[in-house]
Amino acid sequence: MSAVIVVHGGAWSIPEHLAEASVDGVKAAARAGSSVLLGGGSALDAVEAAVRALEDNSVFNAGHGATLNIDGEVELDAIIMDGRTLACGAVSSVKNIANPVTLARAVMEKTEHVMLTGRGANQFAESVGVAAVPPEALVSEYERKEWQKHKTYVTGVEEDFSSRWAHDTVGAVAVDRAGNVACATSTGGIRNKMVGRVGDSPVIGCGGYADNSIGAVSCTGHGESILKVTLARLILSHVEQGKSVEESSRLSLQHMADRVRGSGGSIAVSPSGEWAATFTTTRMAWAAVDQEGLWYGLDPNDRFQETLSQ
Ligand code: GLY
């Protein structure tokens, strides 16, 4: 069984000045996840490592560099799911945690619950030794300037995309040598969102889903649209019915466009190592490592390959 990891750095437009950094960032995250898998680590460890790399990179809308809400504050959401057992952990609206995906994993492994939010998530973080950072430490200079420039909310439905909106969510899916799948997704949400707004990313079956009997998916795009069609689980329902992960992703994103005028993207992997990176937005930075090497892309017809040195 060969291990595979796929990562995304978020759908939407990605202006030219962020293009190279976005591609470099997803390639680095895919390499980070892949080295976990090559070292015999689990799919769960690999998706956490990849998403942490993306959260630490202020080019992306997660962790450092996340978008700001209407009050100019960071509010972060994340999920992680283990396809072996359907165990899942999520956090929402956390303001001062640099790696929400790791806190989500702690929720999964150390509580009887699936999701913690706001103050409770922070109390739990303190109790398990996940360090808090000053909220301002997560705000990039770029995002503060963008927030000051654009005081209106971009709804995210199809006709509302523009180059002023750079990135959405980050995520990763993986299958390890034992055939176990996992997913992780992390986001700052949508700029100028209402205080307390929670999007799709931390919601099981919407921002992500993983089940060893079907596959794993991480989603990006307009959260309210993704929530309405339960995008991650919808993609896997098509896979369950015998379609490829590529066709299942395409059909589900098209359904979201037709039904609620929502745009977005997804990455998916099956237990046998079949994978796809699919989007209906202008761009989505993605990268994958499989037995043939490193694959990556940004524009709709991109599919570049590099060999990986061992
Ligand atoms: N897809 C992320 C969000 O809408 O919050």
Side-chain angles (χ1 to χ4, degrees), residues 49-300:
V51 167
R52 282 181 67 98
L54 295 161
E55 289 173 338
D56 290 344
N57 185 337
S58 63
V59 168
F60 300 110
N61 175 13
H64 288 91
T67 53
L68 303 177
N69 68 16
I70 192 80
D71 282 358
E73 301 164 332
V74 164
E75 284 187 315
L76 305 170
D77 303 332
I79 192 169
I80 192 164
M81 186 163 183
D82 184 347
R84 281 176 296 195
T85 57
L86 305 190
C88 179
V91 292
S92 69
S93 296
V94 295
K95 295 175 192 292
N96 57 353
I97 301 293
N99 295 110
V101 70
T102 293
L103 185 56
R105 185 166 178 176
V107 171
M108 178 176 86
E109 292 177 340
K110 297 180 175 162
T111 79
E112 296 303 317
H113 305 305
V114 164
M115 191 191 298
L116 292 177
T117 193
R119 188 171 63 90
N122 274 105
Q123 283 172 353
F124 171 68
E126 201 178 335
S127 74
V128 293
V130 174
V133 296
E136 278 300 309
L138 300 178
V139 181
S140 68
E141 201 181 318
Y142 176 80
E143 175 55 24
R144 179 64 72 194
K145 281 193 188 135
E146 288 296 296
W147 179 79
Q148 272 153 358
K149 251 194 289 180
H150 307 296
K151 289 293 174 93
T152 52
Y153 178 76
V154 179
T155 65
V157 292
E158 276 190 315
E159 65 270 25
D160 199 16
F161 284 94
S162 71
S163 58
R164 73 195 173 110
W165 187 256
H167 280 112
D168 190 51
T169 310
V170 305
V173 294
V175 56
D176 60 29
R177 285 177 185 157
N180 298 310
V181 299
C183 72
T185 306
S186 182
T187 192
I190 297 182
R191 186 178 298 132
N192 291 310
K193 64 187 179 181
M194 287 174 70
V195 174
R197 176 263 187 192
V198 178
D200 61 295
S201 302
V203 179
I204 190 167
C206 296
Y209 200 79
D211 182 342
N212 270 11
S213 65
I214 326 168
V217 171
S218 168
C219 296
T220 168
H222 181 234
E224 283 69 12
S225 299
I226 295 171
L227 283 159
K228 286 173 190 166
V229 301
T230 58
L231 185 61
R233 194 62 184 81
L234 179 62
I235 291 170
L236 290 175
S237 298
H238 284 298
V239 176
E240 260 177 324
Q241 286 159 29
K243 297 189 178 69
S244 69
V245 292
E246 173 79 47
E247 190 186 5
S248 300
S249 306
R250 205 174 35 72
L251 284 173
S252 303
L253 286 163
Q254 190 55 50
H255 172 73
M256 187 168 82
D258 295 342
R259 194 70 180 85
V260 294
R261 292 182 305 125
S263 296
S266 61
I267 50 174
V269 70
S270 76
S272 65
E274 185 198 349
W275 62 269
T278 315
F279 50 101
T280 52
T281 50
T282 313
R283 286 176 148 173
M284 181 179 83
W286 62 269
V289 178
D290 64 12
Q291 71 278 17
E292 291 173 28
L294 172 70
W295 301 86
Y296 62 94
L298 181 69
D299 288 307

